[in-house]
Every structure is written in C-alpha cells, then in structure tokens.
Amino acid sequence: MFKTITKAALASSLLISLGAGASANEKLQEMQGDAAQWVMPTGDYFNQRYSTLDKINKENVGDMVPAWGFSTGVLRGHEGNPLVVGDTMFVHTPFPNIVYALDAKNDGEIKWKYEPKQDPNVIPVMCCDTVNRGVAYAPAAGEGGKDLVILHQADTTVVALDAETGEQAWSVQNGDPSKGETGTAAPMVFKDKVLIGISGGEFGVRGSVTAYNLSDGSQAWRAYSTGPDDEMLFDPENTMELGKPVGADSSLNSWEGDQWQIGGGTTWGWYAYDPELNLIYYGTGNPSTWNPAQRPGDNKWSMAIMARDADTGMAKWVYQMTPHDEWDYDGVNEMILADIDVGGTPTKALVHFDRNGFAYTLNRETGELLVAKKYDPAVNWATEVVMDPNSDQYGRPQVVAEYSTEQGGEDTNTTGICPAALGTKDQQPAAFSPKTNLFYVPTNHVCMDYEPFRVAYTAGQPYVGATLSMYPAPDSHGGMGNFIAWDAGKGEIVWSLPEQFSVWSGALATAGDVVFYGTLEGYLKAIDAETGEELYKFKTPSGIIGNVMTYENDGKQYVGILSGIGGWAGIGLAAGLTDPTAGLGAVGGYAALSKYTALGGALTVFTVPDQTASNSGEPATPAAADAAAPAANN
C-alpha cells in the first residue's frame, strides 16, 4: 500500500528536494520535523497539524491537568496558536497584536514583549472581530543573521522582530486600512521569503498575496486574485483549470466593466507549501458585494484554490469552487497536503473543506478534481458538484433554485439556506493523521435566511449588501456544530460528534491516537482518533476559537490552547452587540453563548504528570516515526 507522509518524513523529503545550500531557510524545514517544537502556525508546510509525540496518549490523557497559564491582557477573540522554538514560546494577541516571548521552561516567564502602536480606527474596518491568527518564525539566514518572528498587524504593517530580543529588524506596509484593507492571517515563511495575504472582502478590497524577502522586507512578487493576467501572474496558455488552459483575460471576462477592481477575493486564510513541487497553495475569498445581482458573471478568481510557483508567484493551476457566489462561501480555508489513496490510486493530494459545505480532494500537482462531496448532510444550496470531465458543467456545483439568493431577487428574503454564510467550516483548521488516514474536521451545523439589497461602493465603508439571520440546522440534533472524521479518498464521514455550538477551534492529531479540539463554551476536549470516544475535557477561562498545538520540554509533552471568545461566531460577546442581525447575522445565531462563557484572553498549557510512550506502535522520535510510517488503510 501507499506510504503516507508523517511530519518527520516530510522534513526529510524537504531537505532532499531543496539540495545543499539551496535555501536560506533550510533550517526551518529541518526544524518542522522535530516534534518537540512547533515552529509553524499549522505545524508543518503540509498543514497536517499532526504531531509524532505520543507521551500523552489515549491511555493516559484522562489524567491530563493544567501545568501553567498566561493572561494575554486582551479581551477579544483569540484565534491561532503559539509557536515553540527551543525553550521559547511565542504568543500573539488580537488587536493591538501584542507578541510575547515566554520561557517554556519556567512556567511562561516573560522574556520580552512587543506592543505595536496602531491607529484604533482600523478596528471598525475589521469585518468579524479584531482577530489575528498568529506569527511566523524564520531562522537566521547565514552567519551573523538574526532569527526572526514575523507579525502581520491589523493595520497591514508587516514587522520582523529579533526572536531573541523583540527588537524590530524591519517593517513594511502591505495595504491601506483607509480602503478597508486589514491583516488577520498568519504569515508563512518559505525559502528566503515570507508570504502575506490581505483581509477586507466586506469593504470591496481587491485580494492579493505578496511575497517579501526576509533579508530586508523588500517585495519579491505580488499576485492579485482578480484583474488582468499580468497582475494576477497568470499565463493564459500554461495556467490550467481542470486540465485546460484558462485562456486570456479569464478574470476580466467574468466581471462586468471594472468591478474586478473592488471585487474581493481576499486571502485571509492559511497557506501550504510543497517544496518538492515548489508550489504554494491557498484559497481566495468572497466576491464583493454580497448582492449577486450587482456583479453578473463567474467573478473569477474569487472562491478559488490557487497553486503558484514559490519563486515567481506564477499560477500553475486554479480551481473555482463557487462560481458567482451568492452566499458568502469564502474559499480561504486551509489546503491540507497528504499522500493518500484515492479510488485505489496513490495520490499526491490536496484536501480542502470549503465553506460551501463540499470537501474537495484534488491532485496537488495538476489540479485534477478527484472528489467533491458534502461533509455535512444539512448542505442544501447545491445538489452536487459535476464530476464528468466531458460535461460543460464539469467542476461546477448545481445550484438549487429555492436557495439561490439571486433567483430570489433583491429585497427578497431567501430562507432555509444551509450552510449559513460562515460555512460548514470557516478558517478553523482541520487535522490529518497518517496513522488513521483520516481528517478531523471542526464544523458549523448552521443555516440562514439571506436578503440581498443594492449597495454603493465607498472606499473604507462596508460593501456588503445583505441582511442575514442564522440558526441551527433544522431536523437535526439541535446543536450548531459537529466534529467529524472524514475519509478524503472516498468522500465519506466516518464518525460525527454533535456539539451545542459551532466548533470554531483548530484540531490537533497526535501519534498517541488522540485528537484535540476546543469548544465555544471553553472546553478543551480529547477524543479517540479511531472511534471518536471522548477521553477528556477541561473548561478553560473563556470560549475557545484558538487552535490546539503540542510540544515537548525536558522530556515531557505539553498541549497548549488559547482561549478568548470572539471571532465571527462570538462577535456579539466580543464587541458587545445585541441586534440579532449584527455581526452579519451571527449575533442572533449565537446569543445563547453568553450563558456559558465570557470575555477573556488566556493561554492554558496542559500535561500528564506521569508520562510513558504510547503502546500504539509508532515511535515518538521523528526519525523512527519516519521509518515506521504506516500504510494507507482505507
């Protein structure tokens, strides 16, 4: 059977593919294979959020207790997760985007603190709370160089900090908040560059990703999501869509007039990198405005997966999940790279759980569409994604007229649409275990009513044009979320755990046969990776919208999570909103949250007092884990 990639195997393949001295950040690619550290926001370049550590395992996780905690001093939504490099933990906050360096050996003693001075006027142009999804780490690129921590601030300033002292090494402005451009996504360091996206789709921002040189912050390349081919870094003959060249002016031909200039397609999610293919992967967000009648056409390349050459930014392939979006189903969710079996064929896959409720499996080298299936049975806005390459509908979702907000018309309330605008999953990242070959997915089980209306564009002002209300999926378990295990080769749910509220926390899978996630009420939960049985839960100081991570120090494994209610689901609590339609409909949908949690901003670090390696059969050391990587079993 086909061997799946573990974190350690990935690190080994990275070094082979790069060659000696080929990258200024060869050290980072080596470090990601060291399970004692957590050196990237998503754990590794493949976004698998999997750790080979197994000293906390399904046999002893029931004995887990808090080891230490840390208050961030900020009372808004805490998305993302800390990094651990050596004995130092780097913790970030929402606006004002404070960065702390904590001593992981000494219960989080503060080594240094960086607090940027930002204009608070950026807060009103942040769509869905003042969140930030984390910092990136870049090792020194040669003798005399400095290890860096990269922060993308709310005001779009990109700052490189000396990892040892917190002093600023360089800064560069990535966007213009006066136009509604903001920064919320975690950067990704690759080779000798750092990738930065942009937020602001609800303000008519034109999306882009930008690669900056780590040496001095100078711009290496920028690729827009919409517009002329040269500005999108598209080659009409060699950029492919489902096996065919996109052709000239593929974006311009899908917009009316110059609407592409305020067309959205922002890039505030997660980024992946395959060094062997030298490709970067990410998704683009909603087209602006939310009123589909105002922007005829497919609105390319919003709602799309992009695969780009890491050196030049040129697009190799692209795939649009939701042409002419009518529901705000942003395509920014993470791309998870995994070598899995698809239909009996070993495949270099890209797996993406889209806001629109479909889970996609593609060949990450060619962009071939292999699987597109609903990962929540409540999804009703489309019947299917056409998989016949000979059909003129190939790759397109088949929209149900009853749930089409455009066919319903302006100033008409289209009801019962599933999922709601926040999607079957938003940015909260899933995890993949090469031991089980399953993907562990935090989901929203939420539907909506959606009434579009005509809106005029004014720079720096909301450009939404829709009123929403949200509620639990009807005729179901009554809750607003599920945590599921997914077989991406078959497109099937293996098991599903109902939750009272959406699961807005990123998952973590480990070699100890445990999967971790957090809940909006504030519980950190540990479950059996095979069966979904709950093994442990602990209620943290505030609701969890952060992502679980793990590391090792002095031979002991720890699990860390940020809690602090907020984000889109918790915007009512975070911003003190009470109008049910506020927060783009989320305030009313999640009003009951106030009975279970309150504002906070805290890091909680857990451990098991008496740890032994798991009996699972996979060694805890990265090198041994590489040698023992299991074959695909489904």
Side-chain angles (χ1 to χ4, degrees):
M1 299 295 288
F2 192 57
K3 184 179 177 183
T4 56
I5 283 193
T6 66
K7 199 168 185 180
L10 173 59
S12 176
S13 68
L14 293 171
L15 293 176
I16 293 171
S17 64
L18 286 165
S23 169
N25 268 287
E26 185 175 301
K27 184 179 178 183
L28 180 63
Q29 288 131 29
E30 182 180 0
M31 292 171 71
Q32 72 169 351
D34 178 5
Q37 305 184 94
W38 193 275
V39 298
M40 298 182 184
T42 58
D44 56 50
Y45 279 134
F46 278 20
N47 287 354
Q48 292 183 357
R49 299 193 61 82
Y50 174 78
S51 173
T52 57
L53 296 179
D54 68 349
K55 290 181 179 179
I56 296 176
N57 51 65
K58 68 178 183 179
E59 285 81 22
N60 65 17
V61 71
D63 298 325
M64 197 163 71
V65 294
W68 56 274
F70 178 78
S71 173
T72 67
V74 180
L75 298 179
R76 294 296 289 249
H78 283 60
E79 289 184 349
N81 54 259
L83 303 182
V84 172
V85 181
D87 294 330
T88 302
M89 176 182 285
F90 298 102
V91 177
H92 69 285
T93 79
F95 184 92
N97 307 134
I98 303 168
V99 180
Y100 294 96
L102 307 180
D103 187 345
K105 292 179 70 69
N106 193 21
D107 293 347
E109 179 180 303
I110 299 173
K111 292 185 172 183
W112 55 257
K113 174 185 177 182
Y114 174 80
E115 184 169 4
K117 303 301 179 186
Q118 300 184 71
D119 187 340
N121 287 327
V122 73
I123 294 176
V125 294
M126 300 188 77
C127 155
C128 310
D129 201 8
T130 60
V131 297
N132 183 284
R133 297 183 189 92
V135 296
Y137 172 77
E143 281 191 41
K146 296 178 179 179
D147 298 341
L148 299 176
V149 173
I150 312 297
L151 167 68
H152 188 199
Q153 298 175 180
D155 64 4
T156 78
T157 303
V158 183
V159 181
L161 306 174
D162 185 321
E164 194 66 31
T165 66
E167 296 177 355
Q168 189 177 119
W170 54 258
S171 69
V172 63
Q173 196 71 20
N174 188 56
D176 183 354
S178 71
K179 297 178 181 178
E181 294 176 336
T182 55
T184 61
M188 182 182 74
V189 169
F190 65 101
K191 291 190 169 181
D192 58 351
K193 300 178 178 65
V194 58
L195 193 71
I196 303 291
I198 200 74
S199 303
E202 280 60 63
F203 291 81
V205 165
R206 182 186 177 203
S208 64
V209 293
T210 307
Y212 293 98
N213 293 308
L214 285 169
S215 58
D216 57 6
S218 59
Q219 187 178 123
W221 53 261
R222 171 170 285 175
Y224 286 94
S225 303
T226 63
D229 293 332
D230 61 337
E231 295 182 11
M232 294 194 303
L233 303 186
F234 270 39
D235 181 334
E237 300 302 320
N238 294 305
T239 299
M240 310 299 284
E241 178 192 17
L242 298 176
K244 297 179 180 179
V246 294
D249 299 325
S250 60
S251 178
L252 296 178
N253 293 336
S254 68
W255 292 88
E256 187 173 75
D258 61 359
Q259 287 184 333
W260 56 270
Q261 295 183 13
I262 52 172
T266 49
T267 52
W268 50 272
W270 306 94
Y271 319 112
Y273 175 47
D274 185 333
E276 183 179 350
L277 300 175
N278 199 38
L279 293 178
I280 285 170
Y281 307 90
Y282 65 95
T284 63
N286 61 284
S288 300
T289 161
W290 286 24
N291 179 0
Q294 287 188 242
R295 43 172 174 77
D298 276 355
N299 309 136
K300 296 178 177 177
W301 290 98
S302 65
M303 309 311 227
I305 299 173
M306 300 275 189
R308 294 187 179 275
D309 181 275
D311 297 323
T312 66
M314 290 297 296
K316 180 175 182 180
W317 61 260
V318 63
Y319 169 62
Q320 188 176 39
M321 286 83 66
T322 312
H324 186 61
D325 169 70
E326 307 173 37
W327 309 271
D328 185 47
Y329 292 154
D330 292 53
V332 303
N333 293 351
E334 75 285 353
M335 312 299 158
I336 303 176
L337 312 184
D339 294 352
I340 60 175
D341 187 273
V342 182
T345 302
T347 304
K348 291 183 177 296
L350 177 152
V351 178
H352 170 71
F353 299 93
D354 199 61
R355 284 253 293 263
N356 70 14
F358 286 85
Y360 298 86
T361 304
L362 298 95
N363 182 307
R364 68 176 180 267
E365 184 171 13
T366 66
E368 177 188 359
L369 182 62
L370 304 173
V371 178
K373 294 288 186 180
K374 297 176 183 180
Y375 63 106
D376 186 327
V379 174
N380 64 14
W381 69 276
T383 56
E384 63 175 344
V385 173
V386 175
M387 299 299 291
D388 180 3
N390 297 315
S391 169
D392 64 356
Q393 294 294 297
Y394 178 40
R396 294 182 72 97
Q398 301 301 290
V399 176
V400 176
E402 179 182 357
Y403 304 116
S404 167
T405 67
E406 180 163 42
Q407 293 181 53
E410 291 181 336
D411 303 315
T412 298
N413 193 27
T414 300
T415 62
I417 304 167
C418 305
L422 41 69
T424 300
K425 189 179 84 64
D426 200 359
Q427 58 76 36
Q428 59 271 39
F432 170 72
S433 170
K435 290 189 68 177
T436 62
N437 286 296
L438 296 177
F439 293 77
Y440 301 96
V441 192
T443 74
N444 311 311
H445 195 53
V446 185
C447 302
M448 68 176 174
D449 302 338
Y450 187 116
E451 182 176 343
F453 58 86
R454 191 151 292 262
V455 62
Y457 172 77
T458 301
Q461 297 299 311
Y463 188 51
V464 179
T467 301
L468 279 65
S469 59
M470 300 183 189
Y471 41 84
D475 303 319
S476 186
H477 58 74
M480 302 178 74
N482 294 295
F483 188 81
I484 71 170
W486 178 260
D487 184 328
K490 298 177 180 178
E492 295 177 354
I493 296 174
V494 177
W495 48 255
S496 179
L497 305 178
E499 287 285 353
Q500 181 173 358
F501 296 104
S502 296
V503 186
W504 211 268
S505 159
L508 169 72
T510 73
D513 299 316
V514 181
V515 176
F516 297 90
Y517 68 95
T519 74
L520 284 175
E521 305 101 302
Y523 286 105
L524 174 70
K525 292 190 175 184
I527 58 175
D528 187 306
E530 288 281 358
T531 67
E533 176 190 359
E534 185 177 300
L535 304 172
Y536 173 85
K537 70 176 182 180
F538 180 92
K539 194 167 187 183
T540 66
S542 183
I544 297 175
I545 63 170
N547 308 328
V548 194
M549 51 79 71
T550 189
Y551 66 98
E552 188 175 85
N553 195 273
D554 283 342
K556 182 175 286 191
Q557 183 179 354
Y558 295 86
V559 173
I561 184 68
L562 286 168
S563 58
I565 194 65
W568 194 353
I571 187 63
L573 281 173
L577 304 176
T578 57
D579 180 348
T581 64
L584 302 170
V587 172
Y590 294 86
L593 259 181
S594 62
K595 297 179 181 179
Y596 297 90
T597 192
L599 293 180
L603 167 74
T604 309
V605 177
F606 297 82
T607 194
V608 171
D610 298 314
Q611 299 185 6
T612 57
S614 168
N615 295 321
S616 62
E618 181 176 86
T621 62
D626 183 14
N633 56 16
N634 52 4

